[in-house]
Amino acid sequence: MSAITNHMPTKELQALDAAHHIHPFTDSKELTAAGARIITRAKGVTITDSEGHDILDAMSGLWCVGVGYGRQELVDAAARQMQELPFYNTFFMTSHVPAIALSAKLAELAPDNINHVFFTGSGSEANDTNIRLVRHYWAAKGKPTKTTLIARKNGYHGSTLGGGSLGGMAPMHTQGCPVIPGIHHIDQPHWWAEGGDMTPEAFGLERARQLEAAILELGEDNVAAFIGEPVQGAGGVIIPPSTYWPEIQRICDKYEILLIADEVITGFGRTGNWFGSQTFGIRPDIITIAKTLTSGYIPMGGSLVSDEIANTLAEAGDFNHGYTYSGHPVAAAVALENLRIIEEEQLVERVREDVGPYLAAKWKTLLDHPLVGEANSVGLMATLALTPDKASRAKFKGPEGAVGLRCRTRCFANGLVMRHVGDRMIIAPPFVITHAEIDTLITRARKSLDETYESLIKDGLFVSA
Ligand code: PXG
C-alpha cells in the first residue's frame, strides 16, 4: 500500500493545500506564502516530513498521542472492529459491545463517585454536552434557575459555540463567537503574568476567591457549575499555585456548584495520574475527556459523570441530546486497546515516577538561559516563560508572541516540535519518550533558545516593554 501523501513533490502539495484547505487557527495568507510543513509518517516520538526531515514531536501531535506513533495494536483493533461492526448508533434503546466495554472500563478508571459516561466525537462536543447536562440536571432537581456556568479567562474548552464561549480566549469571541448567555468568566491563576508582588500561594487564593465573589454576585440559585482545566494547556501550560484548587473545591462544595474538570489534555496519564484531578486533589462531578482517550488515532471524546448526576438524569426521562457518532464502535475499540496499552505498559506510573521527574530535572537546567524566567512542569507537561528581565518578569517590547514565534521557528529548524503560546514555550511529549530522547529534546531546545537569543540581540529586541 502506498502512502497517499507521497504522490507529489512538496511544492505541489503545498500549493494544493493552500488553494483548497482551510486550516484551523492558521493565517491563510501566511500559509500561502510559506507553505505548510507536510507530515507524511511517524514512529515512536518522531514525525517525518515530506522532505524526509525527522522531527522530535514534543507536543504528542496536539497533546494526544500518549502511547506514541506507529502502534500496530491500535491499527489492528480498528481493523477488527470495522470488519465486525463498522457502525451502529447508541440512540433509541440500542447499544453495542465496544461502547459497553469502554463505558465499564472508564467507570473502573475514573474516581470512585464517577461511573457513567456520555460519548461524543471530540472535546468541544463534550463541553457543549456539559452545558446542557448541568442545566438539565438542576432542572430535574427542581432548581431550574441554576443555569450559569463560571469559567476562566484564557481557559480553552473547544471551538464550538458552547466550547468557545466557555473558553476565555478573546480572539475567538470576536470572530463570530460572542459568549452565549449564561456564561461568566473570572480571572485565571497565572501567577507569572498576573501575580504582581504577591506570593504564588496568596495569589492562588485570591484568584480562587473570585469564584466565591462571582457566585455571590450572580446569586447561588443561578449558578450551575464551575469549569476549569486542572492545568491550562492551550493557555500556555499554566500550573496553578498549590492553594488554588483546594479553595475552588471548598467554594463549589459550600455553594452546591457542580465542578467540571476539563481533562481533555490532563486525562489518562499526562500529569502522572489517570486524571489531573487526582494530581491536584479535586473531586469533580464531571470530567471532560478526549485526546489521549484514543491517543489521537481516531476521534473520540466524552463526559464522565458522577453517580448523583446520572441517577438524577435517569429519573428525568429522555435526555434529548446526542451525536451520530456517540460511542462510535471503531473509536471505542481503539480507545479500549489504547487504555490496555497504557495499563499494561504502566505508562501512568512511568510518567509519575520515571520520565516525568527526569524531564523536570532536565527542564529546570534551562533556567540558567538568559531568555528563560520560569521553567515549570507537571508530569509530561512543561512550560518556559521567555523574558528580557527575569527579576521583574517583564514582557518583551513589541507584539506579544513575536519572540515565542521566533523560538518555535528555530525549534522546527533544529528538529523539535515545541509550541509557543505568546512568549511561553510549551511541550507535552508522548508517555513512551525515553531518557535519551528527553536529552535530545533538551539539547535541541537549548540550541533553539541560543539562536533566538542571538537573533534578538542582533536585532536590538532583547528589551523590556
Ligand atoms: N478542552 C480542552 C482542555 C482542550 O485542550 C478541547 C477542550 C477541545 O477538544 P477538541 O477535541 O474539540 O479539539 C481542548 C482541545 C493548542 C490546542 O493549540 C489545544 C486543543 C486543541 C487544538 C489546539 O494547544 N485542545
Side-chain angles (χ1 to χ4, degrees):
M1 247 187 335
S2 63
I4 197 165
T5 39
N6 275 341
H7 288 175
M8 290 177 201
T10 301
K11 283 262 176 276
E12 281 178 44
L13 286 167
Q14 287 171 329
L16 277 178
D17 183 57
H20 302 295
H21 179 188
I22 303 175
H23 288 242
F25 286 90
T26 300
D27 178 335
S28 290
K29 282 201 289 301
E30 217 176 291
L31 185 82
T32 306
R37 187 179 287 258
I38 295 159
I39 308 305
T40 52
R41 56 180 193 275
K43 183 91 189 153
V45 301
T46 304
I47 55 173
T48 304
D49 73 12
S50 54
E51 295 293 291
H53 299 119
D54 286 340
I55 308 161
L56 196 164
D57 180 11
M59 277 309 297
S60 303
L62 207 48
W63 316 88
C64 44
V65 189
V67 299
Y69 296 97
R71 303 296 300 236
Q72 188 60 37
E73 308 96 304
L74 298 184
V75 179
D76 294 343
R80 272 197 309 272
Q81 188 55 47
M82 281 199 187
Q83 280 158 354
E84 191 158 319
L85 181 71
F87 179 76
Y88 202 72
N89 70 72
T90 52
F91 287 48
F92 319 133
M93 301 290 291
T94 60
S95 197
H96 49 68
V97 177
I100 294 166
L102 181 58
S103 306
K105 185 71 203 170
L106 288 168
E108 180 196 319
L109 295 175
D112 286 349
N113 63 321
I114 293 184
N115 291 292
H116 306 265
V117 58
F118 188 96
F119 288 116
T120 70
S122 68
S124 299
E125 285 176 8
N127 281 326
D128 275 33
T129 293
N130 289 338
I131 295 173
R132 295 196 50 197
L133 200 132
V134 297
R135 290 174 176 169
H136 180 46
Y137 165 79
W138 284 118
K141 295 278 280 186
K143 297 186 175 178
T145 59
K146 279 174 86 72
T147 55
T148 298
L149 288 93
I150 300 176
R152 284 114 38 104
K153 293 176 190 162
N154 199 36
Y156 188 79
H157 300 293
S159 272
T160 50
L161 277 173
S165 293
L166 286 173
M169 303 278 181
M172 292 176 70
H173 297 159
T174 54
Q175 290 180 342
C177 188
V179 175
I180 60 174
I183 290 174
H184 180 90
H185 291 99
I186 59 174
D187 288 321
Q188 59 177 333
H190 188 354
W191 176 80
W192 171 268
E194 300 175 4
D197 294 333
M198 298 176 89
T199 63
E201 291 72 26
F203 176 73
L205 280 181
E206 193 250 349
R207 285 292 154 101
R209 285 177 188 156
Q210 282 195 13
L211 174 60
E212 189 157 32
I215 294 167
L216 294 173
E217 181 196 324
L218 295 162
E220 184 180 339
D221 291 342
N222 299 319
V223 180
F226 172 76
I227 182 167
E229 306 152 80
V231 178
Q232 289 155 258
V237 182
I238 312 302
I239 303 168
S242 60
T243 48
Y244 181 75
W245 277 114
E247 185 66 1
I248 292 281
Q249 182 74 60
R250 181 190 71 77
I251 294 164
C252 287
D253 291 347
K254 176 168 176 189
Y255 296 99
E256 261 203 290
I257 307 297
L258 297 174
L259 176 52
I260 308 172
D262 185 342
E263 300 236 25
V264 166
I265 285 176
T266 52
F268 305 105
R270 174 63 56 198
T271 69
N273 288 292
W274 278 97
F275 295 96
S277 298
Q278 293 154 337
T279 304
F280 290 90
I282 318 166
R283 285 175 284 102
D285 301 286
I286 296 176
I287 298 178
T288 318
I289 55 173
K291 294 193 189 275
T292 314
L293 170 61
T294 57
S295 279
Y297 278 61
I298 200 162
M300 186 175 228
S303 297
L304 301 180
V305 176
S306 73
D307 298 342
E308 154 64 18
I309 294 176
N311 294 339
T312 303
L313 294 186
E315 293 294 311
D318 272 20
F319 182 28
N320 298 315
H321 178 74
Y323 308 101
T324 301
Y325 301 126
S326 286
H328 192 288
V330 180
V334 171
L336 272 168
E337 185 64 6
N338 174 62
L339 296 174
R340 186 195 63 74
I341 291 173
I342 293 176
E343 273 194 311
E344 279 192 18
E345 298 185 5
Q346 301 190 320
L347 296 181
V348 180
E349 295 80 356
R350 178 183 169 81
V351 172
R352 183 172 59 238
E353 291 157 20
D354 180 4
V355 286
Y358 189 78
L359 175 72
K362 297 281 168 175
W363 195 249
K364 281 266 182 276
T365 66
L366 297 172
L367 258 183
D368 68 5
H369 195 279
L371 266 180
V372 176
E374 181 193 41
N376 216 347
S377 70
V378 56
L380 284 183
M381 298 174 82
T383 177
L384 300 175
L386 307 186
T387 175
D389 183 40
K390 302 185 191 213
S392 66
R393 314 202 299 269
K395 291 186 175 189
F396 290 96
K397 195 164 173 224
E400 184 161 8
V403 174
L405 179 60
R406 264 183 203 234
C407 185
R408 190 197 100 106
T409 306
R410 295 318 310 151
C411 288
F412 240 132
N414 290 321
L416 175 66
V417 179
M418 172 153 76
R419 221 163 89 49
H420 81 108
V421 174
D423 294 318
R424 297 182 82 78
M425 305 309 298
I426 60 176
I427 58 163
F431 307 162
V432 292
I433 194 168
T434 62
H435 289 205
E437 286 162 343
I438 289 174
D439 294 346
T440 303
L441 188 167
I442 298 290
T443 303
R444 291 180 188 176
R446 184 175 284 280
K447 179 161 187 271
S448 307
L449 288 165
D450 285 347
E451 291 169 1
T452 305
Y453 179 63
E454 283 155 22
S455 82
L456 291 175
I457 297 287
K458 185 160 93 23
D459 296 343
L461 292 173
F462 193 67
V463 181
S464 300

